[in-house]
Amino acid sequence: MLLTSASSVAVGGFLSTQIAGALYDQRFDQFSAEATSELTRYKAVFRDSPATDRDTISRLVLDSVTALAGNDTDSPREAILAPISGEEIVIPTTSSQKGATARMLPQDLQAAIADGEDIYWSPIVIPVTKSGEVEAPGVAFGTRVTLPPEQTPYALYVFYDLSTMQDTLNYIQRVLAISGLILLVMIGAIAWYVTRSVVRPVSHAAAVSEKLAAGQLQERMEVSGEDEVARLGVSFNHMAGSLQDQINQLAQLSQMQQRFVSDVSHELRTPLTTVRMAAEVLHDAREDFDPINRRSAEILFDQVERFQALLADLLEISRFDAGAATLEAESVDIVQLVQHAIDGAWPLSERLGSEVSIISTEASCIVDADARRIDRILRNLIVNALEHGEGEPVDIHIACSPEAVAVAVRDHGIGMTEDQASRVFDRFWRADAARARTTGGSGLGLSIATEDARLHRAWLQAWGEPGQGSCFRLTLPRHQDIDLASSPVALPPAPISVAASAGAVGISRSAADDSRQAGADGRIQEAQEVGQRRETP
């Protein structure tokens, strides 16, 4: 509509200008020829007049000025005889129209006539015409004449009233404006109709697309007619049908795969239990075997354990895929869970020579969580930190806030790139496929940890830099009705200085060794040494 309006204004302005120019040029040529002829004739009349007295000259001037006026109703013509400034006045200014004076004539025109002998012209504004028009447009022609007997110079003017022509132009402009407005309304109505005819099916298609994206695969477009929009609707419905068939096939295939994994895992449990029992018998009796058979029994026992762990992970993943995993939340102390996880990973940390330490100002952090699943997450994170820590210390940061509890496991080993950190929770994914696993994990630990965290409405995030180590942060809501907005622990945690660690609780593996040797039940006992924590790398 804006473009059409601008086009209408431009076309109307162009047509109005062209019509006005053509009409003015045509009438100006007519006026110029007529005025030139009359002025030349009366110039000769004044020059050749034998009048010698003032009365005769006055009668001659009045008759000439009256004769010069025309009564053409299209463009009336009037005449004025005025003395040239600075000359002796013989006859005062004489005009064929009452009220018309030389002051209405442009100064440039008067100066040109006073200095020259040719016929000059100029556009003027007529204050009041005979018909009563005010400020009417006009055009004036003038020349220099001489009055007898002394050949006194005067200026003789004829001017034409162009108000009728201006009225015609105004009428044409009104017609163009009304025509443009009507054309604009018609174009707007046509555009509205065409736009609705096109946009309504497109809007309907967008709504159907949103429903399809939301999972309502049975939604289709309503098709009517045989135009291009109808063809679009038919093609859209065909595409939606094809997508529905393919999605249903993929869903069925996914269900079959999940059922197959679950069934196979369950079916393998019984024979695997039997094989494990046999492997344990052989492993316990390996001292009586020759070296080759002894090594074979040890390998068999290790691989059966790995197979059993893989089978357990597959069963857990199948429960998540089937939506059968449930959360049994209760009030637990996250600090005790961390200590229990460290205790479970103690054999690996002792073998690798890595010290595991807790860095926290909290002696206890209570959270509503499933203790078994949180313990599994923590154990997995600690084992991974030990495996990839290259024998460096592993720090476990614990912090609480009124809304959340966070545990960050920080190692100083080989680290990860940003791309590896974004894929580390994928199933069976390894940063380095050629790297040998120390403990022979299944590759599903972090995937299961992610699902456990999702059940708790928690965050499980990873960070790493090559050569600087990596950090995994678990953030749990204190209660299940809380939506997490931030974590009490930064990722990665800021280094703890000696001065800042004066209020920290330091729990190392050596304290657990002492408690184990003292006959404790295997859980790491809390050892608080305010201001005496071992220096952290």
Side-chain angles (χ1 to χ4, degrees):
M1 294 294 290
L2 290 175
L3 291 175
T4 303
S5 302
S7 301
S8 299
V9 171
V11 172
F14 174 76
L15 291 177
S16 177
T17 303
Q18 293 298 315
I19 292 173
L23 183 60
Y24 181 81
D25 291 342
Q26 178 185 3
R27 299 308 300 273
F28 179 81
D29 292 341
Q30 175 186 348
F31 297 153
S32 178
E34 182 180 290
T36 300
S37 175
E38 294 295 325
L39 289 175
T40 302
R41 184 164 66 89
Y42 280 95
K43 185 176 183 178
V45 169
F46 288 137
R47 185 183 62 243
D48 299 337
S49 174
T52 57
D53 60 286
R54 186 180 183 88
D55 293 337
T56 305
I57 297 173
S58 299
R59 189 179 306 109
L60 173 64
V61 169
L62 181 61
D63 293 341
S64 300
V65 170
T66 303
L68 273 174
N71 296 322
D72 188 355
T73 57
D74 186 14
S75 297
R77 184 180 68 198
E78 303 294 339
I80 298 176
L81 179 69
I84 295 178
S85 177
E87 300 293 339
E88 181 183 355
I89 298 176
V90 178
I91 301 297
T93 300
T94 306
S95 173
S96 62
Q97 177 185 339
K98 185 178 181 180
T101 63
R103 288 179 297 179
M104 59 181 272
L105 300 171
Q107 293 294 328
D108 294 342
L109 178 62
Q110 297 183 37
I113 292 174
D115 296 336
E117 297 292 337
D118 293 332
I119 297 176
Y120 304 94
W121 70 275
S122 175
I124 64 172
V125 177
I126 304 174
V128 181
T129 65
K130 282 187 177 181
S131 61
E133 293 285 342
V134 179
E135 301 292 329
V139 60
F141 297 85
T143 188
R144 182 184 179 120
V145 298
T146 56
L147 294 182
E150 302 295 336
Q151 300 298 315
T152 306
Y154 272 73
L156 180 62
Y157 303 94
V158 293
F159 62 91
Y160 293 85
D161 179 8
L162 303 182
S163 58
T164 303
M165 187 171 66
Q166 184 64 47
D167 292 339
T168 302
L169 290 177
N170 293 337
Y171 174 76
I172 293 175
Q173 291 174 352
R174 286 195 299 270
V175 170
L176 289 175
I178 294 173
S179 301
L181 183 61
I182 295 174
L183 180 63
L184 182 64
V185 173
M186 292 177 60
I187 292 176
I190 295 172
W192 177 83
Y193 174 76
V194 173
T195 302
R196 283 187 61 86
S197 300
V198 175
V199 172
R200 180 180 295 176
V202 174
S203 300
H204 181 55
V208 173
S209 300
E210 293 176 356
K211 292 180 179 179
L212 289 173
Q216 303 178 23
L217 302 179
Q218 73 282 355
E219 288 292 329
R220 296 293 184 272
M221 286 185 62
E222 297 179 1
V223 180
S224 61
E226 298 181 354
D227 55 2
E228 288 77 6
V229 177
R231 291 176 56 192
L232 174 63
V234 173
S235 301
F236 184 91
N237 290 339
H238 179 69
M239 178 192 67
S242 300
L243 289 176
Q244 182 180 11
D245 294 340
Q246 294 179 13
I247 292 175
N248 290 335
Q249 291 177 4
L250 292 174
Q252 293 175 0
L253 178 60
S254 178
Q255 292 177 359
M256 291 176 58
Q257 291 175 343
Q258 294 175 9
R259 190 179 301 112
F260 173 78
V261 172
S262 179
D263 293 344
V264 169
S265 300
H266 280 89
E267 292 298 329
L268 287 176
R269 295 182 68 178
T270 300
L272 181 60
T273 302
T274 304
V275 173
R276 178 180 175 81
M277 293 174 61
E280 288 178 350
V281 171
L282 294 175
H283 186 266
D284 293 340
R286 67 185 184 279
E287 298 298 334
D288 299 333
F289 300 158
D290 57 80
I292 296 178
N293 291 331
R294 183 187 305 117
R295 181 56 181 163
S296 299
E298 293 174 351
I299 293 175
L300 176 62
F301 181 78
D302 292 340
Q303 295 303 314
V304 168
E305 279 194 337
R306 182 179 179 184
F307 189 15
Q308 192 171 25
L310 175 60
L311 187 60
D313 289 345
L314 287 174
L315 284 171
E316 191 67 25
I317 284 292
S318 66
R319 293 191 190 97
F320 284 118
D321 291 340
T326 58
L327 185 67
E328 299 178 359
E330 59 182 355
S331 295
V332 296
D333 186 357
I334 198 68
V335 176
Q336 293 183 2
L337 290 179
V338 172
Q339 293 172 358
H340 185 267
I342 293 175
D343 183 51
W346 171 75
L348 179 61
S349 66
E350 187 179 40
R351 176 152 43 95
L352 296 176
S354 295
E355 180 183 357
V356 181
S357 301
I358 295 178
I359 301 175
S360 175
T361 58
E362 305 289 340
S364 176
C365 289
I366 304 301
V367 62
D368 291 342
D370 189 329
R372 180 179 63 88
R373 297 184 184 277
I374 297 301
D375 181 75
R376 180 164 58 193
I377 295 175
L378 296 174
R379 191 185 300 268
N380 189 283
L381 297 182
I382 294 172
V383 169
N384 283 344
L386 291 171
E387 279 190 323
H388 300 89
E390 303 293 323
E392 296 293 332
V394 174
D395 298 328
I396 302 178
H397 297 256
I398 304 175
C400 299
S401 69
E403 294 81 19
V405 174
V407 179
V409 180
R410 175 76 159 93
D411 67 71
H412 303 82
I414 59 176
M416 298 182 295
T417 64
E418 184 177 352
D419 179 65
Q420 291 171 345
S422 65
R423 300 183 57 192
V424 73
F425 298 107
D426 296 346
R427 297 180 182 181
F428 300 106
W429 184 85
R430 294 187 183 182
D432 185 0
R435 179 180 172 85
R437 284 186 174 270
T438 307
T439 58
S442 64
L444 295 173
L446 289 178
S447 299
I448 295 174
T450 303
E451 298 295 338
D452 285 333
R454 187 176 293 115
L455 278 179
H456 287 82
R457 301 175 62 192
W459 296 345
L460 183 58
Q461 299 161 301
W463 167 90
E465 285 188 7
Q468 301 297 320
S470 57
C471 180
F472 288 81
R473 182 182 66 185
L474 173 65
T475 307
L476 293 162
R478 296 293 290 263
H479 305 285
Q480 290 301 304
D481 58 349
I482 296 178
D483 293 329
L484 291 176
S486 60
S487 179
V489 176
L491 185 68
I496 304 297
S497 63
V498 175
S501 64
V505 177
I507 302 177
S508 65
R509 186 60 247 173
S510 60
D513 292 341
D514 296 339
S515 63
R516 181 183 299 275
Q517 294 174 3
D521 58 359
R523 181 183 299 270
I524 299 178
Q525 301 299 317
E526 181 177 356
Q528 300 185 5
E529 298 176 359
V530 178
Q532 298 179 2
R533 185 185 175 277
R534 182 174 301 179
E535 183 180 355
T536 303

